[in-house]
Amino acid sequence: MQESRPFEVVLIGGGISGLASSYYLEQLAASKNIPMHLTLLETSGRLGGKIATERLGRVIIEGGPDSFFTQKPFALDLCREIGLSSELDEADPTTRGTYILNNGKPVKLPEGTETGMPSKLRPFMSTDLISFPGKMRALYDFVAPRKKSAGDESVGSFIARRLGGEFLFKIVEPMYAGIYAGDVYQLSAESTIPSLVALERNYRSIIHGMRSEIRKRSGQNREKRPGEAPKFITLKGGMIGIVEGLRSKLRQTDIVLNEGATGIFNQPKDNSRKYLITTSQGRKIAADSVVLAVPAYAAAELIKELSPGLSRLLSEIKYSSTATVTLGFPKDGTALKLHGHGILVPRTEKGMVTGCTWESSKWPDHSTEDILLARCYIGWFGHDEFMAYDDASLVKEARIFLENTFGIMEPPVLSRVFRWPMALPQYMVGHQGLVRRIESENRSLPGLFLTGSAYHGVGVPDCIHDAKSAAEALVNYLSVDRLS
Ligand SMILES: Cc1cc2nc3c(=O)[nH]c(=O)nc-3n(C[C@H](O)[C@H](O)[C@H](O)COP(=O)(O)OP(=O)(O)OC[C@H]3O[C@@H](n4cnc5c(N)ncnc54)[C@H](O)[C@@H]3O)c2cc1C
């Protein structure tokens, strides 16, 4: 029995995945009375990873995520649990709506298609975005047969098969370019649109299936949780509030900034701790257990000697780079009256910008009354030439887009560029099989746990959920070790 010394756990990576893992580990260790000391190593000088909020007086600029969606409740639950309920801020429902660029003109996304399919038929039939033959092709879904072969396919092939090419390229492709900066003909349907794949399996027609599910859900919601429809939520002071909130709750964790892990090794058999972590400051830290909360390619590098097989599998997960360019314009001088929360840009429209959010319409309290904040997204999978551009050139690209699309000619009063090299994991066709192989190989490294956006979902709620699962698995592992 190892009652006297606390277990040493090293967490690598101080993004939301590493911080949430620390938080859940501390909670679980306390509730199970397991003595535990944690060290969280973060290579950069700040916590948050992709969550990067800059506060310029009353103006809040998000470099990475600007919100989380509550359909998966894990981020919302965590915020409430750590006392951030009063800080939560819902995207302004009065200005809601998304536009799609269509032949150079913004056209409103028909109501009900936000799910990636026409779940409301009247708005869909009256939109100018899709031609009449395109609409008829989408409605063919009602009678189209199920896919015959089992196994994964691309999002592109799934949507083209069910709803046709026009719906795919005008509506679905720009959405997935926005979320993954990805190529719909490479992204896995099983991993990125599992709910649509399940609809085909269960109902054959995905439109009919979705409409039935919505009717069922709205009945249940009325009975059980009135007012709890999924929403986009941020924090009053920006997304970094979750990071600050988590940090303030950590009691047993030494947070070490500016010190990255450089390798993970097995300790000699006679050593009581299992792993040795080397760091960029030349330290060697012994640990009973390790949580790798870094991108898959960084994890692959750290374990390349410890487990060349797992390292190879991890490096199969590809990433795309992206950049966000936030521009502030004087509201008085800007001719345009903006509607909706933003616009998505299909690949067929050319240009570098893949989308733009009106941050000041979405979150009015994140700007002043006289500044209009626009955030443009740049880059998609296989096209990261823009990473070589300097900030001024990226600002120029964003301005050209805003001028051509919305006629905004005024010079911005503020601009901020964030670059994210290899930022968004691409769940390619076969991703779930790859993750299963990674998990199987990982079993030969007891006490070492992988978590983060590379495996079971890229959104902040997914990362929090995955972190909680990793913490539970780690505590189970230590509980067994403690009894042996
Ligand atoms: C531009 C952009 C917009 C997004 N928008 C949204 C959104 O609106 N909503 C949403 O839900 N999600 C969004 N996402 C996705 C979401 O932000 C990320 O998936 C999530 O934040 C990833 O968190 P993570 O902790 O797993 O990884 P990261 O945030 O990448 O954190 C990993 C950390 O590990 C550190 N690290 C790396 N190597 C080492 C090492 N060797 N030693 C120590 N530390 C190391 C890094 O410095 C980093 O801090 C967006 C992502 C981007 C890039």
Side-chain angles (χ1 to χ4, degrees):
M1 296 268 279
Q2 301 179 0
E3 291 294 347
S4 52
R5 69 167 176 84
F7 287 107
E8 282 296 333
V9 176
V10 172
L11 298 112
I12 303 176
I16 190 67
S17 300
L19 284 165
S21 301
S22 272
Y23 170 76
Y24 288 121
L25 278 173
E26 286 199 9
Q27 300 297 307
L28 287 164
S31 73
K32 294 187 182 253
N33 209 14
I34 298 176
M36 190 185 287
H37 174 259
L38 300 99
T39 304
L40 186 150
L41 295 174
E42 166 54 48
T43 223
S44 75
R46 64 167 193 90
L47 292 174
K50 305 293 179 310
I51 298 180
T53 308
E54 259 189 31
R55 295 169 182 151
L56 301 176
R58 281 176 52 211
V59 175
I60 288 174
I61 297 180
E62 297 286 9
D66 72 351
S67 55
F68 56 83
F69 192 47
T70 61
Q71 190 162 35
K72 294 178 185 171
F74 317 111
L76 184 62
D77 290 350
L78 177 65
C79 287
R80 287 176 174 160
E81 192 176 319
I82 62 175
L84 295 175
S85 297
S86 61
E87 292 301 305
L88 300 175
D89 192 7
E90 178 189 337
D92 187 348
T94 64
T95 54
R96 204 172 35 206
T98 302
Y99 285 71
I100 299 266
L101 192 66
N102 187 34
N103 299 323
K105 298 263 172 308
V107 178
K108 192 157 191 222
L109 189 66
E111 201 191 328
T113 49
E114 304 83 358
T115 48
M117 74 164 82
S119 62
K120 292 191 178 168
L121 295 182
R122 205 167 292 150
F124 177 64
M125 290 311 287
S126 52
T127 182
D128 292 336
L129 190 58
I130 305 278
S131 68
F132 184 70
K135 287 173 186 164
M136 291 299 104
R137 174 59 189 85
L139 297 184
Y140 171 66
D141 167 72
F142 280 110
V143 293
R146 276 191 185 87
K147 179 160 118 5
K148 291 202 178 63
S149 57
D152 200 4
E153 66 184 311
S154 71
V155 172
S157 122
F158 178 90
I159 298 290
R161 197 164 53 68
R162 298 282 352 154
L163 303 169
E166 193 174 340
F167 194 88
L168 169 68
F169 285 107
K170 289 210 171 143
I171 294 187
V172 175
E173 187 269 343
M175 278 181 192
Y176 285 84
I179 301 170
Y180 290 91
D183 174 349
V184 283
Y185 272 108
Q186 296 194 57
L187 289 173
S188 149
E190 207 173 69
S191 294
T192 60
I193 47 168
S195 53
L196 301 197
V197 173
L199 287 178
E200 182 183 41
R201 207 168 38 239
N202 299 336
Y203 294 87
R204 187 174 49 78
S205 159
I206 60 173
I207 304 178
H208 165 66
M210 174 61 93
R211 288 159 61 84
S212 306
E213 299 266 308
I214 289 173
R215 270 197 300 274
K216 242 192 267 167
R217 243 180 285 143
S218 62
Q220 282 166 0
N221 275 354
R222 263 199 305 278
E223 281 165 30
K224 287 191 200 149
R225 294 183 297 136
E228 284 272 1
K231 296 175 180 121
F232 286 97
I233 298 276
T234 190
L235 282 92
K236 287 182 181 150
M239 287 290 283
I240 202 72
I242 307 181
V243 173
E244 293 166 345
L246 280 172
R247 182 178 192 158
S248 73
K249 293 285 168 197
L250 298 179
R251 299 279 177 271
Q252 322 293 337
T253 308
D254 283 337
I255 294 178
V256 187
L257 299 178
N258 298 307
E259 184 168 1
T262 51
I264 305 171
F265 305 91
N266 271 323
Q267 292 267 53
K269 284 258 176 325
D270 55 353
N271 197 296
S272 63
R273 310 249 191 230
K274 196 160 179 46
Y275 294 107
L276 187 78
I277 293 96
T278 55
T279 80
S280 55
Q281 302 291 332
R283 284 203 293 155
K284 291 188 167 88
I285 307 173
D288 298 290
S289 192
V290 182
V291 178
L292 271 167
V294 293
Y297 55 86
E301 186 61 27
L302 290 172
I303 57 158
K304 64 178 188 236
E305 277 188 43
L306 184 68
S307 173
L310 180 57
S311 173
R312 259 193 308 279
L313 289 173
L314 288 169
S315 56
E316 281 184 32
I317 298 178
K318 304 284 174 254
Y319 279 75
S320 68
S321 301
T322 179
T324 58
V325 180
T326 301
L327 302 176
F329 298 95
K331 264 192 190 152
D332 280 355
T334 309
L336 175 88
K337 287 269 166 288
L338 298 175
H339 298 290
H341 288 170
I343 185 161
L344 299 168
V345 183
R347 212 67 64 77
T348 44
E349 295 286 327
K350 308 280 186 283
M352 266 194 192
V353 172
T354 59
C356 174
T357 314
W358 309 124
E359 295 286 318
S360 47
S361 303
K362 203 171 169 188
W363 320 106
D365 292 342
H366 283 195
S367 183
T368 56
E369 298 72 39
D370 50 352
I371 291 187
L372 183 156
L373 271 189
R375 183 163 91 135
C376 292
Y377 303 83
I378 291 180
W380 62 82
F381 185 65
H383 294 268
D384 55 4
E385 313 81 57
F386 70 90
M387 290 299 282
Y389 284 38
D390 60 13
D391 284 5
S393 308
L394 290 181
V395 167
K396 194 170 156 199
E397 287 294 332
R399 285 193 63 193
I400 292 172
F401 169 76
L402 293 171
E403 184 177 329
N404 290 345
T405 315
F406 299 102
I408 302 179
M409 319 273 278
E410 295 80 6
V413 289
L414 68 87
S415 65
R416 187 72 179 87
V417 175
F418 287 82
R419 282 152 212 286
W420 299 109
M422 294 182 75
L424 292 162
Q426 302 295 295
Y427 292 2
M428 302 299 197
V429 175
H431 179 77
Q432 287 190 6
L434 176 58
V435 171
R436 277 194 293 274
R437 278 184 286 141
I438 287 172
E439 287 170 347
S440 151
E441 195 74 29
N442 190 188
R443 281 194 271 281
S444 62
L445 297 173
L448 186 140
F449 298 88
L450 296 162
T451 189
S453 61
Y455 313 104
H456 301 113
V458 299
V460 169
D462 299 300
C463 293
I464 289 170
H465 184 241
D466 205 48
K468 191 173 189 183
S469 306
E472 285 165 354
L474 192 155
V475 165
N476 279 342
Y477 163 77
L478 290 185
S479 304
V480 172
D481 188 28
R482 195 163 167 239
L483 296 173
S484 61

